[in-house]
Amino acid sequence: MKFLNVCFLISFSILASCNSVEEKCGNSSQDLETLIKSYEERDSYDREEYPLGLFTREHYKEEAKYAEDQLHYFGCINMEELSETEQISAKLLKFVLEDQIDYYKFERFLNPLLSDSGFHSSLNYQIRPISNDFDAEEYLKKLNSLPQFVDQHFVNLREGLAKGVSQPKVIFKGYESTYNDHIVADYKESPFYQPFKKLPSIFSEKYKDSILTAAKETIEEKVIPQFKRIKTFFETEYLPKTRTTLGVSETPNGVAYYQNRINFYTTSSQYTADDIHQIGLKEVARIRSEMKKIIADLNFRGSFPDFLKFLRTDKQFYATSPKEILMIARDMAKRADAQLPKFFKTLPRKPYGVAPVPDAIAPKYTGGRYVGTSKNSTEPGYYWVNTYDLPSRTLYTLPSLTVHEAVPGHHLQGSLNNELGDSIPQFRRDLYLSAYGEGWGLYSEFLADEMGMYTTPYEQFGKFTYEMWRACRLVVDTGIHAKGWTRQKVVDYMSENTALSLHEINTETDRYISWPGQALSYKIGELKIRELRNKAEKELGSEFNIRDFHEVVLEQGTVTLAILEERVDNYIQKVNNE
């Protein structure tokens, strides 16, 4: 509280000087540091009272008001007086604050669900190994706060239903696993009990007994009953009342909201839905021609659809057990590890593991995902591989998935971001922008070709399938949310143009419906990174160094695409002047 009062006085004096024509503002670096410190050290709620977070309308209103106040203070900052790192920090803080305002403006808190996740399924991320007494007690504290957590979200969801800003009913097929898997007869079978089965050996028997007794009581009296409440809510209240329309543009203020999401997920205001749709169609045509070349080189007798059917149905392209697909993924990850020094000057210290997607969320989950940890965590990052429904998990796309989620994709970029030096503010080390992060992930799939990761024509086709998948996203996301496409039209378009399994196509389609704009970030970001690399290669010729280029892209951490372009242009100019 003392710090907040000091911040308020400093901020007030800054604002007062900014509003006076006669008075001069202070030092721009110091003023920026004050704003960043206020943002980073602000406690927007009492974490002891709300261990799982605060999700009320009033909370988001206060967050928006704070962001508006902070933006006013930027009038005192002269960007020309700042270093490059400070300029990037200023631009990114403004971007984050503006989105904080938009979060409340568009009432995004009323719709805390996606097709493959939601407020309740996000609790699975709390399930982590217990290393000490602090971990055990904090975990119990969070589990005991479940009733409060659920109550808050029910209030928001009910208001969302009343206002027509809920999720479409069509995306909830199979969603029951997100709560049913937590309703168990024996508390020891609850996924939330699993960390208690492997308590540290340093715990005394007395302490272990007390923790296990508390865990049993918490699972039986808090966790399981709350998931029963969630089940009842969804099946008797939410699903019967939720909307049957598809695109977000069909909801109140939906057209403006979709444009806002386009701007956020591309970190730019230059694109309309029509612009992105046309970019997508152009990319689909280009990639399809590359896929046809591979089919011709394989001397496959049949049409393009025939080849896709062959890939989806031939047993050689599928693992026979979860153990096998995990083993193959681990082998691919280690092969990628070995190539990193040739392409990168700086590598992360944090290791990563390869693990299956948890059973409770696997049926509606994507084929894989990266789950990172904080810099100081004793846990590694994890590349999750979905082992559910193995006949839908194509091995020819596994190299692309691996390099995207593990290295040189999300693990490398995300860990380097966490490990940035003290000159980079903490909010930037914690920041994730999809256009940059997912753009880098897709660029990693392109880079993997140079790393020798694609060893067969089928894996090369898998690379183009994944690239085509992201190009199709530009078409279908805008189709759903701006052009009135039906779900079946999306499924048909994806089926005709990618070799993804039909299961994946259906889960991905539901994801695009439920998460407007996010799917645009991958291809838009990747196109920008490849455009900047091509520019650097062309202008620098023999002076181009791939390790230096990647250092420029990664060394300032997560940035907007405009900031990235400015950095690459400066790099080109610097090399040319040497």
Side-chain angles (χ1 to χ4, degrees):
M1 182 60 71
K2 182 179 179 181
F3 173 78
L4 291 179
N5 288 336
V6 172
C7 275
F8 174 79
L9 290 173
I10 293 172
S11 299
F12 181 82
S13 65
I14 291 172
L15 181 58
S17 63
C18 289
N19 288 337
S20 172
V21 177
E22 300 299 325
E23 295 181 41
K24 292 183 178 179
C25 292
N27 179 280
S28 290
S29 291
Q30 292 177 357
D31 291 344
L32 176 62
E33 184 180 353
T34 297
L35 290 175
I36 291 172
K37 195 173 183 181
S38 171
Y39 177 78
E40 290 184 342
E41 298 191 13
R42 180 171 186 266
D43 288 325
S44 61
Y45 64 91
D46 185 339
R47 296 176 191 276
E48 286 295 316
E49 186 176 358
Y50 302 102
L52 287 169
L54 183 58
F55 305 93
T56 63
R57 170 178 286 279
E58 189 58 34
H59 168 69
Y60 294 114
K61 182 179 180 180
E62 290 177 3
E63 288 295 278
K65 179 63 168 61
Y66 169 80
E68 288 173 349
D69 291 343
Q70 295 299 97
L71 286 174
H72 285 306
Y73 305 153
F74 273 90
C76 269
I77 296 174
N78 184 344
M79 296 292 281
E80 294 180 1
E81 295 177 2
L82 304 178
S83 68
E84 181 194 19
T85 295
E86 289 172 332
Q87 288 179 14
I88 292 172
S89 295
K91 292 173 183 176
L92 290 175
L93 183 57
K94 287 182 73 174
F95 188 88
V96 169
L97 291 169
E98 286 165 354
D99 188 58
Q100 198 165 301
I101 294 167
D102 290 337
Y103 194 93
Y104 180 71
K105 174 184 175 182
F106 290 103
E107 299 184 320
R108 283 157 52 195
F109 54 92
L110 298 183
N111 192 13
L113 305 174
L114 296 175
S115 64
D116 63 353
S117 61
F119 74 97
H120 59 300
S121 58
S122 67
L123 294 167
N124 287 289
Y125 293 103
Q126 302 291 341
I127 304 172
R128 291 182 177 274
I130 293 171
S131 301
N132 50 52
D133 56 349
F134 177 82
D135 288 350
E137 289 163 23
E138 284 297 299
Y139 184 52
L140 281 170
K141 193 183 299 181
K142 289 179 178 180
L143 295 183
N144 276 299
S145 71
L146 243 63
Q148 173 195 66
F149 175 81
V150 172
D151 286 344
Q152 290 181 64
H153 281 96
F154 280 3
V155 169
N156 292 337
L157 285 162
R158 285 174 177 133
E159 185 178 347
L161 282 172
K163 290 186 172 182
V165 293
S166 59
Q167 290 288 11
K169 187 172 184 176
V170 71
I171 71 165
F172 289 103
K173 184 178 180 181
Y175 201 71
E176 60 274 7
S177 67
T178 64
Y179 45 80
N180 280 343
D181 286 357
H182 294 290
I183 301 172
V184 294
D186 180 354
Y187 72 95
K188 290 182 179 179
E189 296 304 311
S190 169
F192 290 98
Y193 187 79
Q194 301 317 300
F196 297 109
K197 292 182 176 180
K198 296 181 180 179
L199 293 176
S201 58
I202 58 171
F203 284 4
S204 68
E205 288 304 313
K206 182 179 180 181
Y207 186 70
K208 279 185 182 179
D209 288 344
S210 67
I211 289 294
L212 293 176
T213 299
K216 176 180 184 296
E217 180 179 329
T218 300
I219 299 295
E220 289 183 338
E221 297 183 10
K222 296 290 175 67
V223 177
I224 296 172
Q226 290 309 308
F227 275 95
K228 288 180 178 179
R229 284 184 68 206
I230 291 167
K231 175 185 175 69
T232 299
F233 173 77
F234 274 110
E235 295 182 358
T236 67
E237 191 170 344
Y238 190 89
L239 294 178
K241 295 179 181 178
T242 196
R243 66 189 175 99
T244 56
T245 56
L246 208 64
V248 75
S249 296
E250 298 179 72
T251 64
N253 207 23
V255 173
Y257 176 58
Y258 187 51
Q259 183 60 56
N260 176 269
R261 293 299 82 197
I262 290 174
N263 295 349
F264 177 79
Y265 284 116
T266 64
T267 67
S268 169
S269 59
Q270 74 179 80
Y271 302 105
T272 66
D274 282 337
D275 293 333
I276 290 176
H277 196 79
Q278 291 305 314
I279 293 170
L281 291 173
K282 183 178 179 180
E283 280 292 284
V284 166
R286 178 187 65 80
I287 299 165
R288 190 177 178 108
S289 68
E290 296 290 341
M291 297 169 88
K292 286 182 176 179
K293 290 177 186 176
I294 293 177
I295 295 173
D297 290 343
L298 285 168
N299 295 316
F300 179 80
R301 295 181 180 179
S303 64
F304 189 87
D306 290 337
F307 187 71
L308 298 188
K309 183 178 180 181
F310 162 65
L311 292 177
R312 290 186 181 123
T313 56
D314 196 292
K315 292 183 178 179
Q316 68 175 300
F317 301 122
Y318 299 89
T320 56
S321 69
K323 182 178 179 180
E324 182 185 5
I325 194 171
L326 288 170
M327 183 173 65
I328 294 171
R330 290 189 183 106
D331 175 71
M332 291 175 175
K334 292 307 296 181
R335 286 198 289 116
D337 284 345
Q339 295 297 314
L340 296 181
K342 297 178 184 177
F343 295 89
F344 299 94
K345 296 175 74 172
T346 305
L347 298 176
R349 297 180 63 188
K350 173 83 72 174
Y352 68 95
V354 182
V357 173
D359 291 342
I361 58 176
K364 293 281 285 182
Y365 213 66
T366 53
R369 197 166 293 183
Y370 176 67
V371 181
T373 56
S374 66
K375 178 181 178 179
N376 297 323
S377 172
T378 57
E379 285 293 298
Y382 275 103
Y383 160 37
W384 278 0
V385 179
N386 201 330
T387 59
Y388 173 80
D389 190 21
L390 285 176
S392 71
R393 310 301 171 191
T394 51
L395 293 179
Y396 53 83
T397 59
L398 197 57
S400 295
L401 178 67
T402 300
V403 298
H404 183 109
E405 303 296 346
V407 296
H410 290 323
H411 174 72
L412 184 143
Q413 182 271 315
S415 296
L416 287 178
N417 207 83
N418 282 338
E419 296 168 16
L420 289 168
D422 292 340
S423 65
I424 307 295
Q426 187 63 46
F427 89 90
R428 285 179 54 189
R429 286 178 253 170
D430 297 336
L431 183 62
Y432 186 79
L433 298 176
S434 290
Y436 178 85
E438 299 299 349
W440 176 260
L442 183 49
Y443 168 77
S444 295
E445 297 174 33
F446 162 78
L447 182 65
D449 206 356
E450 299 172 51
M451 296 169 65
M453 290 300 296
Y454 306 113
T455 60
T456 70
Y458 298 110
E459 290 180 349
Q460 284 283 351
F461 195 89
K463 177 192 74 171
F464 284 119
T465 276
Y466 261 34
E467 187 182 4
M468 175 68 93
W469 172 25
R470 278 45 167 265
C472 286
R473 286 176 172 180
L474 302 183
V475 179
V476 301
D477 194 283
T478 50
I480 293 164
H481 298 295
K483 297 181 177 295
W485 280 32
T486 64
R487 187 183 184 283
Q488 189 59 49
K489 186 171 182 178
V490 174
V491 170
D492 290 344
Y493 189 85
M494 297 283 287
S495 301
E496 291 164 5
N497 287 290
T498 78
L500 293 173
S501 70
L502 295 179
H503 176 84
E504 283 188 303
I505 287 170
N506 277 284
T507 56
E508 286 295 317
T509 296
D510 289 340
R511 177 185 168 196
Y512 309 148
I513 294 168
S514 68
W515 201 353
Q518 193 272 345
L520 309 177
S521 55
Y522 299 70
K523 194 63 183 167
I524 294 297
E526 182 246 9
L527 285 171
K528 177 57 68 176
I529 296 172
R530 288 179 64 172
E531 172 197 317
L532 295 175
R533 177 174 166 176
N534 290 338
K535 181 179 182 180
E537 288 175 331
K538 182 179 179 180
E539 296 194 20
L540 297 179
S542 61
E543 296 299 312
F544 177 80
N545 183 300
I546 189 64
R547 296 171 84 234
D548 288 341
F549 174 77
H550 288 153
E551 190 77 1
V552 169
V553 173
L554 295 168
E555 69 178 343
Q556 284 283 344
T558 297
V559 293
T560 64
L561 298 184
I563 293 172
L564 181 60
E565 184 162 13
E566 185 176 357
R567 280 187 50 74
V568 173
D569 285 344
N570 291 340
Y571 155 70
I572 293 170
Q573 184 177 6
K574 180 182 178 182
V575 174
N576 279 330
N577 289 339
E578 289 177 349

